[in-house]
Amino acid sequence: MKTFAKITPYIKQNFRKILFGIVLLIIVDIAQLIIPKIIQYAIDGIGTEGFTKTNLFYAGAAIFLIACLMTLLRFFWRLFLLGVAWSVDRNLRQEYFDHLISLSANFFNKVKTGGLMAYATNDLNAIRMLIAFGFVIGVDIILITIASLAFMININLRLTLISIILLPALTIIIIILGKKIHLRFSKVQKTFEALSAKVQESISGIRVVKAFVQEEAELEKISDPAYDYVRENISLIRIQGIFHPSFMLIIGLSMMIVMVFGGEAAMVGEISIGEFIAFFQYLGMFVWPMIAVGWVVNLYQRGTASLKRLNKIFEEKPEIANEAWVDYFISKLNGKIEFKDLTFQYNEKGPLIFENVSFDIEAGKTLAIVGRTGCGKSTLIDLLTRVYNPPKNSIFIDKHEIFKIPLKTLRENIIMVPQDIFLFSQTVKENITLAKPDASSEEIEDVTKSAQVYDDIADFREGFDTVLGERGVTLSGGQKQRIAIARALLTDSKVLILDDALSAVDTKTEKLILENLIKLRKEKTTVIIAHRISSVQRADKIIVIDKARIAEEGTHKQLLKVGGIYKDIYEKQQLEEKISARKNKDSGS
Ligand code: ATP
Ligand code: MG
């Protein structure tokens, strides 16, 4: 029953509705069972004494009224039972999404987005179908089977026994084929997941695909999983193709038996003609649960396969969570950051990213991190913000060991503009106010001015209400970066980190933004990661990372005196600037 652990609370919550739906369903079933009896009464009545047109009319009216009642009640049980299924679907979907969001960044490195989407579509559908029709068919099977069998026995025991003699064959088919269906359906879902993942990747990478003229190659890459999906589906159809027709065959045989033996019994007067016809109808009803059993087995197999797959995701624990020794009283941070003897590698077999790295930055100061690409600058920040877990006792904020600080406090106080910026396809305003939805227009204006993006936004047709991304305006790299900076500035956090967040901005604009930052963040800690020395030279402290260690540390002036990596980079950039200035001049004259 562990498989159902996720949905039982929701079923319990909706217990009354389900019960009510089932009661209505039972009434419909009973009404349905009465109709053949009325027909039997009418047919056997015809020709007997005292049976008039009025009796026929009454029989007809009774059938009509029962049909009306059934229509009405069918509407309501559907409303209740299918409604419950949809509400469980919604709750489960929400829970699934909540869970996904709680998982660590690293989880999403391991799994494919398309696959996760498949869970939310195909699998949730299969689960909903199971809930929606599981109850209905369950009740139908039990009630109709027992009742129609009772009516049949009541008409004639011998005939009943003969007509259901083939039943065990149905059970055998269900047992043998049901397992296979389950297995093959799991395979279908797996291939669907792979296909979705591939398509999702190709579409999100469409720019690269086009830039490298890889359309054909991408199509080919999709063709394999698409073919797998078809193959697995065909393999499933093969089983289902045997499953349903073999039911029909057995039903046909039963009908034949009733026709021959029942007809004979009616001819010799063992049963009346009305009973013979009613018997046929009851057999028809009795057969429905037999078909339904096949269907419900199918639903059950699919639903549980999907539930198991979903449960696997639910079992994923967030790697990054508050530790047992977290101190929930820490709700504010000042912004003094200390790294002590940090040694880190992503995985045991991988290279050492940091080896005994120690440095600190006082609250309210600006720290710059410089180093070759791939030296670990972003990693350092990911450890500080606990996107990845650092080793214990290696990072301290305001003297608190980082694991003592509740994640909520950490995330609220340390705001980062990441290297790969993501903007939602919402309005400019919604993107900027992401972490502070109630910000006033003045505040929004101020931060966009500080981030030097106000004029750009004013030029958009709908200003701050312009929709970005898929549904709207496409921004340049520099515009994206500056909107992301405005978004971060709005939070006015104790610690602000810009991870290469000025790389796509020209040097003049960069200078203006940096000047504003100095003004705005006088009392607050700011960390700037950059490749351009122009971005970092005014920092209170600059650290240069090289070969997993801090190679140099100091102010711009001090580092130039040291004459190491920093000075080297600085001189090269100066030279580059001179050359490009000369080029501009030459081409201008
Ligand atoms: P850049 O200046 O290009 O942004 P960086 O200094 O920010 O580079 P990092 O992104 O921190 O460099 O990466 C440091 C090293 O860690 C790289 O060799 C990278 O391949 C590796 N790395 C980064 N993220 C992961 C990860 N999730 N798992 C394993 N290795 C990783
Ligand atoms: Mg980086």
Side-chain angles (χ1 to χ4, degrees):
M1 276 295 119
K2 219 179 117 227
T3 314
F4 292 96
K6 272 284 157 212
I7 54 171
T8 34
Y10 297 125
I11 301 285
K12 278 188 190 150
Q13 244 173 42
N14 289 295
F15 189 66
R16 276 169 179 221
K17 276 191 190 163
I18 294 175
L19 199 67
F20 198 59
I22 288 176
V23 168
L24 295 184
L25 183 66
I26 291 174
I27 299 175
V28 171
D29 279 350
I30 292 172
Q32 191 185 341
L33 283 159
I34 295 173
I35 293 179
K37 274 285 152 196
I38 301 175
I39 294 174
Q40 181 193 330
Y41 157 79
I43 290 178
D44 284 345
I46 294 169
T48 56
E49 222 173 294
F51 193 85
T52 60
K53 262 191 179 174
T54 327
N55 294 75
L56 263 188
F57 172 76
Y58 283 145
I63 291 177
F64 176 69
L65 284 179
I66 290 175
C68 286
L69 179 77
M70 277 165 62
T71 310
L72 191 72
L73 297 189
R74 269 200 181 124
F75 171 78
F76 281 106
W77 77 243
R78 279 180 169 263
L79 205 63
F80 281 109
L81 294 180
L82 305 195
V84 166
W86 275 106
S87 106
V88 175
D89 177 280
R90 196 218 99 89
N91 286 330
L92 203 59
R93 197 178 293 272
Q94 178 78 37
E95 202 179 323
Y96 174 63
F97 188 67
D98 283 352
H99 181 71
L100 277 189
I101 281 200
S102 79
L103 294 177
S104 327
N106 212 9
F107 169 79
F108 297 93
N109 290 341
K110 289 184 290 188
V111 298
K112 295 195 167 138
T113 320
L116 294 176
M117 307 269 279
Y119 291 113
T121 48
N122 264 10
D123 286 309
L124 278 177
N125 280 353
I127 296 168
R128 192 190 62 244
M129 291 292 282
L130 173 62
I131 300 169
F133 294 104
F135 287 111
V136 176
I137 302 173
V139 170
D140 259 12
I141 287 173
I142 298 168
L143 194 81
I144 303 262
T145 312
I146 295 175
S148 54
L149 197 62
F151 278 111
M152 278 156 65
I153 291 172
N154 181 254
I155 291 170
N156 190 299
L157 178 64
R158 189 179 64 96
L159 199 54
T160 310
L161 290 179
I162 299 173
S163 61
I164 62 172
I165 206 159
L166 292 168
L167 263 190
L170 287 179
T171 322
I172 293 169
I173 293 176
I174 290 163
I175 292 171
I176 297 176
L177 298 188
K179 265 216 167 98
K180 289 202 166 163
I181 287 185
H182 182 69
L183 218 74
R184 293 194 185 183
F185 182 68
S186 293
K187 279 191 185 162
V188 166
Q189 290 296 75
K190 257 205 193 112
T191 48
F192 180 72
E193 187 187 321
L195 178 62
S196 313
K198 192 70 213 111
V199 171
Q200 197 269 343
E201 200 174 281
S202 287
I203 294 177
S204 24
I206 194 72
R207 278 166 184 247
V208 182
V209 171
K210 285 197 179 290
F212 288 86
V213 206
Q214 288 300 301
E215 287 94 335
E216 297 243 326
E218 280 303 299
L219 267 179
E220 240 165 60
K221 274 191 220 158
I222 286 177
S223 132
D224 270 350
Y227 185 71
D228 288 345
Y229 184 50
V230 172
R231 201 191 51 231
E232 292 304 337
N233 262 309
I234 289 177
S235 135
L236 178 65
I237 292 168
R238 268 202 205 113
I239 291 282
Q240 284 175 332
I242 305 172
F243 204 55
H244 294 291
S246 52
F247 271 87
M248 297 315 285
L249 179 70
I250 290 167
I251 291 160
L253 284 174
S254 295
M255 291 280 182
M256 187 191 79
I257 292 170
V258 175
M259 182 59 90
V260 174
F261 291 92
E264 199 188 0
M267 276 157 92
V268 298
E270 197 182 328
I271 55 172
S272 71
I273 305 235
E275 281 176 326
F276 178 50
I277 290 171
F279 191 91
F280 248 114
Q281 284 181 321
Y282 284 125
L283 182 67
M285 284 186 198
F286 184 71
V287 151
W288 146 244
M290 297 305 125
I291 303 172
V293 165
W295 198 33
V296 90
V297 168
N298 210 324
L299 275 182
Y300 182 81
Q301 307 283 19
R302 284 175 175 228
T304 46
S306 290
L307 256 176
K308 279 183 191 151
R309 283 151 48 81
L310 217 56
N311 282 342
K312 267 218 178 104
I313 300 280
F314 277 121
E315 277 160 22
E316 284 282 338
K317 293 262 173 304
E319 268 170 58
I320 311 286
N322 283 327
E323 302 289 339
W325 60 92
V326 66
D327 181 355
Y328 284 105
F329 288 106
I330 306 175
S331 62
K332 274 197 190 126
L333 296 176
N334 270 326
K336 177 183 161 66
I337 300 167
E338 230 181 322
F339 279 72
K340 271 190 198 163
D341 262 342
L342 168 75
T343 299
F344 178 77
Q345 59 195 132
Y346 275 104
N347 41 56
E348 275 168 30
K349 287 186 196 128
L352 263 184
I353 309 286
F354 299 116
E355 204 180 343
N356 301 108
V357 165
S358 300
F359 65 90
D360 63 358
I361 179 77
E362 290 301 324
K365 299 283 182 195
T366 302
L367 169 78
I369 307 175
V370 181
R372 251 186 278 281
T373 159
C375 71
K377 302 179 294 296
S378 300
T379 304
L380 203 64
I381 300 310
D382 284 345
L383 293 175
L384 176 65
T385 48
R386 282 192 65 197
V387 171
Y388 296 100
N389 273 334
K392 308 264 151 27
N393 289 315
S394 58
I395 302 178
F396 296 81
I397 303 173
D398 297 353
K399 299 273 178 212
H400 305 300
E401 206 264 346
I402 194 161
F403 289 100
K404 279 220 161 247
I405 304 168
L407 275 170
K408 187 166 179 283
T409 308
L410 192 74
R411 302 267 152 86
E412 274 170 1
N413 283 275
I414 305 184
I415 295 288
M416 161 163 68
V417 181
Q419 206 164 6
D420 47 343
I421 286 157
F422 184 84
L423 296 175
F424 291 93
S425 73
Q426 294 175 324
T427 63
V428 174
K429 188 175 158 197
E430 283 164 334
N431 268 295
I432 292 174
T433 57
L434 185 71
K436 199 179 174 189
D438 54 350
S440 70
S441 328
E442 286 90 58
E443 282 176 289
I444 298 171
E445 210 171 285
D446 284 348
V447 289
T448 43
K449 278 182 180 158
S450 302
Q452 298 292 317
V453 70
Y454 182 81
D455 293 339
D456 296 61
I457 297 171
D459 280 345
F460 293 156
R461 214 157 32 141
E462 284 161 88
F464 280 93
D465 293 322
T466 310
V467 176
L468 300 181
E470 287 160 16
R471 294 185 290 124
V473 176
T474 308
L475 296 182
S476 74
Q479 282 168 335
K480 268 191 205 161
Q481 284 191 333
R482 281 172 288 146
I483 285 187
I485 292 174
R487 162 158 86 189
L489 283 178
L490 191 64
T491 61
D492 201 24
S493 58
K494 281 290 178 184
V495 180
L496 173 71
I497 301 166
L498 305 182
D499 187 355
D500 219 6
L502 293 165
S503 57
V505 176
D506 61 77
T507 28
K508 209 175 113 200
T509 315
E510 175 191 42
K511 204 171 157 226
L512 293 171
I513 296 176
L514 287 171
E515 273 165 13
N516 290 332
L517 268 183
I518 290 169
K519 257 186 270 159
L520 281 175
R521 300 199 51 85
K522 234 182 220 155
E523 310 288 316
K524 295 177 192 114
T525 313
T526 308
V527 180
I528 298 176
I529 296 175
H531 286 281
R532 265 187 297 192
I533 299 294
S534 56
S535 301
V536 301
Q537 58 191 5
R538 292 162 77 168
D540 298 302
K541 185 188 266 185
I542 302 167
I543 57 173
V544 182
I545 303 179
D546 190 48
K547 298 193 183 105
R549 289 171 182 272
I550 296 203
E552 294 162 27
E553 182 174 351
T555 60
H556 178 69
K557 267 191 190 159
Q558 288 167 341
L559 290 183
L560 286 185
K561 262 191 211 139
V562 170
I565 302 170
Y566 186 85
K567 188 176 178 220
D568 198 37
I569 302 173
Y570 178 68
E571 281 174 351
K572 270 189 194 135
Q573 288 185 1
Q574 291 266 306
L575 200 66
E576 273 167 23
E577 247 174 60
K578 267 187 205 154
I579 293 171
S580 73
R582 165 107 25 103
K583 262 192 197 153
N584 283 346
K585 215 171 137 195
D586 288 351
S587 60
S589 61

